[in-house]
């Protein structure tokens, strides 16, 4: 392996919330690593997805959505993590949706344009277009926004053209030895991924403010005789959010638990026992100290 020429480098996926960055990262790596949902600001951490082939190692960086509403500590944390992830990489992929440029795409555009590295535009969600011809004016309009290294229409959901995006990225990676062991697929450990799978179910299953008032920590994570035992605490901000999360007769929490457990079984390829607790930590998302204690650090 060390004697073959390898293109290796870091590639950050950037864009406004909900544009499909995490779905695309999972698709590019060929495995679920990042959590996804139809709600904005699902991703709160930087996460690496490492794709190693015979001739390349592409280290994709998933980031929180860049946004301008900077109210609250969590919003600032998200932008800080995403902004820092734009630096020190070999190439950037800016995502927009095939429905066209939105006002919220302008802030990420401005930030990627000033990094001094090649920027590839990925026009995502092309499966939602009724007519592929709609892409032509969008590509034309996009090429006037800045000098993109490439413009690649893709569907992270169906996988269409994702190979083309990978090939485009490869052109901008330096020839150098792999940055990570060839069998490593992420920088994140199993406890982190397990906590995220619980959070994913909360983002998918609840409306309004509950997902945003929620954080998850892992209390226990151990393998006993072929079964993985996981205990996790779901932190909410106010006493009143607890019954919403738990539901009548504990039904809603049960649904979260069984879906997260199935996702863990798939991810870790083992039988899983999952136990969830719901606890209140007043205003956790608006205190620097509590944010840190729940793992929301600058990380980069
Ligand atoms: N139709 C369609 N939907 C997609 C595609 N890619 C992502 N989605 C959907 O778009 C929504 C947002 O996807 P995410 O991958 O969570 O988006 P994100 O950019 O990571 O969002 P944040 O983490 O909140 O910044 C989810 O409902 C996805 O299923 C796609 O190619 N086509
Ligand atoms: Mg995401």
């Amino acid at each position: 392996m060390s004697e073959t020429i390898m293109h290796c480098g870091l590639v950050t996926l950037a864009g406004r919330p909900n544009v499909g960055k995490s779905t695309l990262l999972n698709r590019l790596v060929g495995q679920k690593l990042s959590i996804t949902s139809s709600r904005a600001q699902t991703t709160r951490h930087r996460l690496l997805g490492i794709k190693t082939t015979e001739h390349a190692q592409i280290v994709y960086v998933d980031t929180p959505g860049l946004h301008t509403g900077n109210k609250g500590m969590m919003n600032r944390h998200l932008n800080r993590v995403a902004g820092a992830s734009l630096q020190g990489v070999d190439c950037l992929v800016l995502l927009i949706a095939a429905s066209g440029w939105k006002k919220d795409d302008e802030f990420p555009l401005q930030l990627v344009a000033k990094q001094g590295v090649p920027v590839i535009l990925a026009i995502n969600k092309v499966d939602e277009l009724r007519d592929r011809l709609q892409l032509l004016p969008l590509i034309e309009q996009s090429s006037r926004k800045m000098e993109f290294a490439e413009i690649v229409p893709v569907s992270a959901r169906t996988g269409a053209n994702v190979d083309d995006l990978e090939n485009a990225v490869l052109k901008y990676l330096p020839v150098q030895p792999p940055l990570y062991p060839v069998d490593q697929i992420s920088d994140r450990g199993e406890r982190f991924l397990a906590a995220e799978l619980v959070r994913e179910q909360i983002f998918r299953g609840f409306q309004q403010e509950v997902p945003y008032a929620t954080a998850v920590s892992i209390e226990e994570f151990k393998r006993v005789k072929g079964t993985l035992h996981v205990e996790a605490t779901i932190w909410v901000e106010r006493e009143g959010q607890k019954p919403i999360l738990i539901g009548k007769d504990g039904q809603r929490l049960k649904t979260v638990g069984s879906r997260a457990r199935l996702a863990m079984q798939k991810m870790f390829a083992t039988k899983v026992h999952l136990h969830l607790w719901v606890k209140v930590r007043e205003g956790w998302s608006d205190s620097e100290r509590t944010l840190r204690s729940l793992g929301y650090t600058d990380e980069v």
Side-chain angles (χ1 to χ4, degrees), residues 14-26 34-44 62-66 95 123-128 154-159 203-204 212:
R16 66 171 162 83
N18 211 35
V19 76
K21 300 175 294 298
S22 301
T23 309
L24 183 60
L25 177 125
N26 293 340
S34 254
I35 63 166
T36 65
S37 86
S38 60
R39 309 178 66 84
Q41 300 185 3
T42 303
T43 302
R44 292 178 181 165
D62 191 17
T63 58
L66 286 159
L95 277 81
I123 302 178
N124 191 30
K125 310 197 185 185
V126 294
D127 57 287
E128 284 183 343
V154 295
S155 167
R157 178 171 285 178
T158 67
F203 264 72
R204 290 183 177 183
Y212 302 101

Side-chain angles (χ1 to χ4, degrees), residues 20 22 27 30 56 58-59 63-64 75 83 88-89 99 122 147 156 165 167 172 184-185 208 222 225 229 254 259:
S22 301
R27 181 62 77 172
I58 315 177
V59 182
T63 58
N75 282 310
V89 297
S99 51
E147 206 171 309
L165 179 61
N167 289 330
Y172 301 96
Q184 187 171 340
I185 56 161
Q208 289 159 0
K222 65 173 185 209
K225 290 187 196 146
H229 292 262
K254 230 180 245 168
R259 289 184 178 160

Side-chain angles (χ1 to χ4, degrees), residues 15 57 62 77 96 106 122 141 162 204 206 212 216 232 258 281:
Q57 182 176 73
D62 191 17
H77 162 82
I96 62 164
E106 298 296 330
Q141 182 198 6
V162 170
R204 290 183 177 183
F206 291 86
Y212 302 101
V216 176
S258 67
R281 200 182 279 189

Side-chain angles (χ1 to χ4, degrees), residues 247-300:
K248 194 165 174 283
D249 302 326
Q251 211 47 51
R252 299 203 76 182
L253 188 63
K254 230 180 245 168
T255 303
V256 167
S258 67
R259 289 184 178 160
R261 185 176 63 78
L262 288 175
M264 285 180 207
Q265 291 195 161
K266 204 166 167 202
M267 186 177 274
F268 304 131
T270 181
K271 196 168 174 227
V272 174
H273 274 181
L274 173 64
H275 198 99
L276 296 176
W277 310 89
V278 181
K279 294 182 187 167
V280 183
R281 200 182 279 189
E282 292 269 337
W284 66 262
S285 73
D286 238 346
S287 143
E288 191 80 43
R289 200 164 60 87
T290 336
L291 275 176
R292 279 182 189 286
S293 75
L294 287 167
Y296 297 100
T297 56
D298 284 354
E299 311 172 344
V300 184

Side-chain angles (χ1 to χ4, degrees), residues 41-80:
Q41 300 185 3
T42 303
T43 302
R44 292 178 181 165
H45 302 270
R46 174 181 182 267
L47 175 144
L48 304 184
I50 306 165
K51 168 98 184 260
T52 306
T53 63
E54 207 182 334
H55 298 293
Q57 182 176 73
I58 315 177
V59 182
Y60 294 106
V61 186
D62 191 17
T63 58
L66 286 159
H67 57 286
T68 45
N70 239 352
K71 273 185 264 144
M73 293 257 187
M74 178 55 91
N75 282 310
R76 284 198 288 277
H77 162 82
L78 296 176
N79 269 344
R80 237 180 5 234

